[in-house]
Amino acid sequence: MGTLKIPDFVYSEEGNFGGVEISRFTDGIPVSLARLDDVLELPSCRLLKIDVEGMEREVIAGAALTIAKHRPFLYVENDRVEKSSELIVAIETLGYRAWWSVPPMYNPANFASDPENIFPNIVSINMICVPNETPIALEGFALAQQGHHPLQTP
């Protein structure tokens, strides 16, 4: 299916290595890509979480058969404004409705009971996606639509 280049990170330096958009690199260690539909034969799937730093649409395309077969709920990161409308269209094309989920990065009830918020005013931008045939609506969440993104000013 192809390859991506993974940069040679210096892990002794401070950084958010999990937040790097790998698809932007042209140098590094080549790593093979595979479609979920080609490598997973799931007997069932109720939830699919996708957080791949800007490649969410590609993952959805590579899991289209799995999604069509099992109709799971999807929890999809959508924090790239320039890619948002295209991602929403891809989800709608699969027969899903989407709502914004924008939780803060800091939770005062965190595991360590740490009162220090090291993520002030930072949120995670995701969508909760529900198959059209599932008769629920999410109250308190804004419907995700093309051309509208939580990071855009009205």
Side-chain angles (χ1 to χ4, degrees), residues 18-58:
V20 175
E21 191 168 342
I22 299 297
S23 62
R24 294 181 181 225
F25 289 91
T26 56
D27 293 322
I29 301 164
V31 175
S32 297
L33 295 174
R35 295 171 1 120
L36 286 176
D37 286 340
D38 295 337
V39 297
L40 294 179
E41 291 186 32
L42 301 173
S44 69
C45 180
R46 305 276 315 260
L47 172 68
L48 183 59
K49 181 182 183 290
I50 305 170
D51 178 351
V52 289
E53 307 311 320
M55 294 184 66
E56 287 75 15
R57 188 183 53 76
E58 290 85 347

Side-chain angles (χ1 to χ4, degrees), residues 2 9 46 49 52 54 59 70 108 113 125 134 149:
F9 293 115
R46 305 276 315 260
K49 181 182 183 290
V52 289
V59 169
H70 299 292
S113 300
I125 301 173
T134 303
H149 192 277

